Amino acid sequence: MQSLTTKPHAVLLSSPGAGHLIPVLELGKRLVTLLNFDVTIFAVASHKSAAESDIIQSAMRPNLCEVIELPPPDISALVGPEAKVGTILRVIMREAKPALRSAISSLKSPPTVMIVDLFGTESLVIAEELEISKYVFIASHAWFLALSVYIPTLDKIVQGEYVDQKEPLDIPGCMPVRPEDVVDPMLDRNDQHYFEYLRSGEEIPLSDGVLVNTWKDLQPKTLAALRDDKLLGRVMKAPIYTVGPIVRSLGPAGSKNELFDWLDKQPSESVVFVSFGSGGTLSTEQLTELALGLELSQQRFVWVVRPPTVKTGDGSFFTAGNGGDDLSSYLLPEGFLTRTHHTGMVVPKWAPQLEILSHPSVGGFFSHCGWNSTLESITNGVPMIAWPLYAEQKMNATMLAEEVGLAVRSEKLPTKGVVGREEIKCMVRRVMVEEEGNGIRNKVKEIKRSAERAWKEGGSSYNALSLLAKQCEIICKQRQKMKNL
Ligand code: UDP
């Protein structure tokens, strides 16, 4: 192990996909700039679209961390065609372990700390082998962390499928989780996805600490429960570091294009941005209702459209970037593009989301509530229309709409059936036109300010990261002492 007088060297591990890699890259940058760590990021490659590769490239700038891409292992013999995204990610990360181990051993400077994401918790054994400290970075929020570490307990006490329960699932000290809001791996207790999730729920508390992409003022109650030995602290034994919001920072202004020229001409906070993350797709019927609902709302919009899926509300994570640039193949309603020519912009597949959300003309975000998107919306003071599709997004939507008050949502979950054009029109107008929208806008701006305070010197996230550095050093010293005995 290296001498303690040298710089700490953190090795970060990211699973495939922009939504996973971007927060890891941003965390890496903060470890370099605020704590003066050396950082090496191991990213397991995914075969995503060129647009997504671009966003990853831009998130890598400035080049503060060394990023090493690990080739995606061949898992074709290990998972069937029906395997869920979460299973695929866990299996990929499991099979990538030998490559990670050998890549770490060939680093010029040995690492002192290892930080893995949710799907990489099995690689914590490598940190144990190296006798370095080991952390998990939950790129989502504290309520999700609470459910994840409590799932081994729920597994013992709940009979039958979670989705069939008559009452919400109690998590000590936290808002209960409604059966219809459970995360994807909990939808089927016999599926491998569930067992993989259970395993991560057991592994997270065995780390030396958990970094979570939230901040004290956003989720005070949940964080207190996670730290309380009489509540969730019983299972979440490791310390928690609230290091959020960690969001991508805006790059240098690029050359203007048609989209931004159009946004520049719109009144302040008058445009609703519609996008469902890197993986969200809609059924043909839902796509039609969304188009007509946007049109009926009579509000300006920018919509990132993907070719429809066959199943309602299905988010096909690994293929969502597919589809050509020709909008005629996207099955939009007849005449929609012509009728909305002056009020809306339809962008195929992918758009520079952060740049759009930070544009002064944007006043609402119709979103799948992925946690990166949610944080990008909050940090730009943009209220949301919640349209959760997959992963932990139903919990995110419930938290945003019912606990924090930053979003409106539909009566019925979009994954439960088609939400009609009238309701879509009403949701858009509630945020963009009606008095209710002003209240939400004020609230989101207040939360935005609290997020800014969290990262100022002496703020809660700033302090949490400094504390993490101290704890790393203490653990390092202890392990070195034990080794020298
Ligand atoms: N994103 C983007 N353009 C798009 C779609 C997504 O820039 O057209 C970015 C978005 O800004 C965010 C990330 O991709 O940083 C999506 O992460 P999130 O957690 O919101 O959702 P996921 O894709 O993981 O479901």
Side-chain angles (χ1 to χ4, degrees), residues 74-80 91:
D74 178 9
I75 60 160
S76 52
L78 301 171
V79 293
V91 175

Side-chain angles (χ1 to χ4, degrees), residues 323-342:
D325 283 338
D326 177 9
L327 285 170
S328 62
S329 64
Y330 281 57
L331 305 179
L332 290 165
E334 187 79 42
F336 169 76
L337 290 172
T338 318
R339 292 193 301 273
T340 57
H341 182 63
H342 294 294

Side-chain angles (χ1 to χ4, degrees), residues 355-371:
E355 288 72 9
I356 294 172
L357 285 172
S358 64
H359 194 284
S361 299
V362 173
F365 184 15
F366 200 122
S367 166
H368 76 317
C369 301
W371 195 240

Side-chain angles (χ1 to χ4, degrees), residues 53-75:
S53 304
D54 283 353
I55 200 182
I56 292 171
Q57 289 304 321
S58 76
M60 279 160 62
R61 289 190 292 270
N63 247 349
L64 299 171
C65 314
E66 186 179 9
V67 180
I68 300 177
E69 205 168 68
L70 296 174
D74 178 9
I75 60 160

Side-chain angles (χ1 to χ4, degrees), residues 40-244:
T40 305
I41 296 175
F42 289 102
V44 181
S46 62
H47 300 292
K48 300 282 280 205
S49 64
E52 194 168 345
S53 304
D54 283 353
I55 200 182
I56 292 171
Q57 289 304 321
S58 76
M60 279 160 62
R61 289 190 292 270
N63 247 349
L64 299 171
C65 314
E66 186 179 9
V67 180
I68 300 177
E69 205 168 68
L70 296 174
D74 178 9
I75 60 160
S76 52
L78 301 171
V79 293
E82 294 300 311
K84 308 287 185 307
V85 173
T87 303
I88 295 172
L89 289 171
R90 287 281 295 185
V91 175
I92 287 178
M93 297 310 280
R94 181 172 302 140
E95 295 304 307
K97 257 166 43 187
L100 175 66
R101 195 179 271 114
S102 92
I104 292 180
S105 65
S106 25
L107 289 174
K108 278 194 219 86
S109 123
T112 48
V113 186
M114 184 168 183
I115 306 177
V116 301
D117 71 9
L118 176 72
F119 297 99
T121 49
E122 279 182 46
S123 293
L124 291 174
V125 292
I126 300 178
E128 283 159 23
E129 291 160 18
L130 296 168
E131 298 176 312
I132 60 175
S133 41
K134 48 183 197 295
Y135 294 86
V136 180
F137 175 39
I138 300 293
S140 188
H141 51 87
W143 193 31
F144 171 71
L145 170 63
L147 176 65
S148 303
V149 295
Y150 198 57
I151 190 72
T153 312
L154 287 176
D155 186 59
K156 293 192 190 90
I157 58 183
V158 176
Q159 303 290 319
E161 289 293 347
Y162 296 109
V163 282
D164 296 334
Q165 300 303 305
K166 297 279 170 282
E167 298 295 325
L169 303 166
D170 269 325
I171 312 180
C174 304
M175 186 162 77
V177 179
R178 286 197 292 258
E180 70 265 28
D181 282 351
V182 295
V183 295
D184 283 0
M186 291 170 71
L187 294 174
D188 178 357
R189 287 179 81 166
N190 293 312
D191 193 279
Q192 187 183 349
H193 198 189
Y194 178 64
F195 300 112
E196 299 287 355
Y197 184 56
L198 259 184
R199 186 162 174 182
S200 65
E202 284 155 4
E203 284 166 345
I204 294 166
L206 301 177
S207 64
D208 292 319
V210 179
L211 290 71
V212 54
N213 199 359
T214 189
W215 61 105
K216 204 171 136 218
D217 291 343
L218 185 69
Q219 298 186 279
K221 190 174 153 218
T222 311
L223 288 165
L226 276 160
R227 289 173 170 138
D228 186 335
D229 287 344
K230 294 195 191 70
L231 298 170
L232 273 179
R234 268 186 289 137
V235 286
M236 180 65 257
K237 296 198 169 61
I240 292 168
Y241 301 89
T242 50
V243 295

Side-chain angles (χ1 to χ4, degrees), residues 17-20 22-23 48 51-52 55 139 247-248 273 275-280 304 306 317 347-357 365 367-376 390-393 396:
H20 303 142
I22 288 166
K48 300 282 280 205
E52 194 168 345
I55 200 182
V247 275
R248 203 153 41 95
F273 175 54
S275 176
F276 306 114
S278 60
V304 184
R306 304 237 165 85
F317 188 85
V347 185
K349 297 184 296 189
W350 192 268
Q353 174 166 309
L354 191 63
E355 288 72 9
I356 294 172
L357 285 172
F365 184 15
S367 166
H368 76 317
C369 301
W371 195 240
N372 291 303
S373 295
T374 301
L375 293 180
E376 289 164 13
Y390 53 91
E392 89 295 19
Q393 292 154 15
N396 303 356

Side-chain angles (χ1 to χ4, degrees), residues 234-294:
R234 268 186 289 137
V235 286
M236 180 65 257
K237 296 198 169 61
I240 292 168
Y241 301 89
T242 50
V243 295
I246 288 187
V247 275
R248 203 153 41 95
S249 28
L250 272 179
S255 53
K256 289 275 180 185
N257 62 21
E258 199 194 338
L259 171 62
F260 288 94
D261 286 346
W262 182 81
L263 277 173
D264 286 347
K265 292 190 197 107
Q266 310 310 314
S268 169
E269 299 186 336
S270 69
V271 177
V272 58
F273 175 54
V274 187
S275 176
F276 306 114
S278 60
T281 45
L282 306 175
S283 66
T284 311
E285 206 181 343
Q286 188 61 80
L287 200 76
T288 303
E289 293 305 309
L290 178 54
L292 298 177
L294 284 173

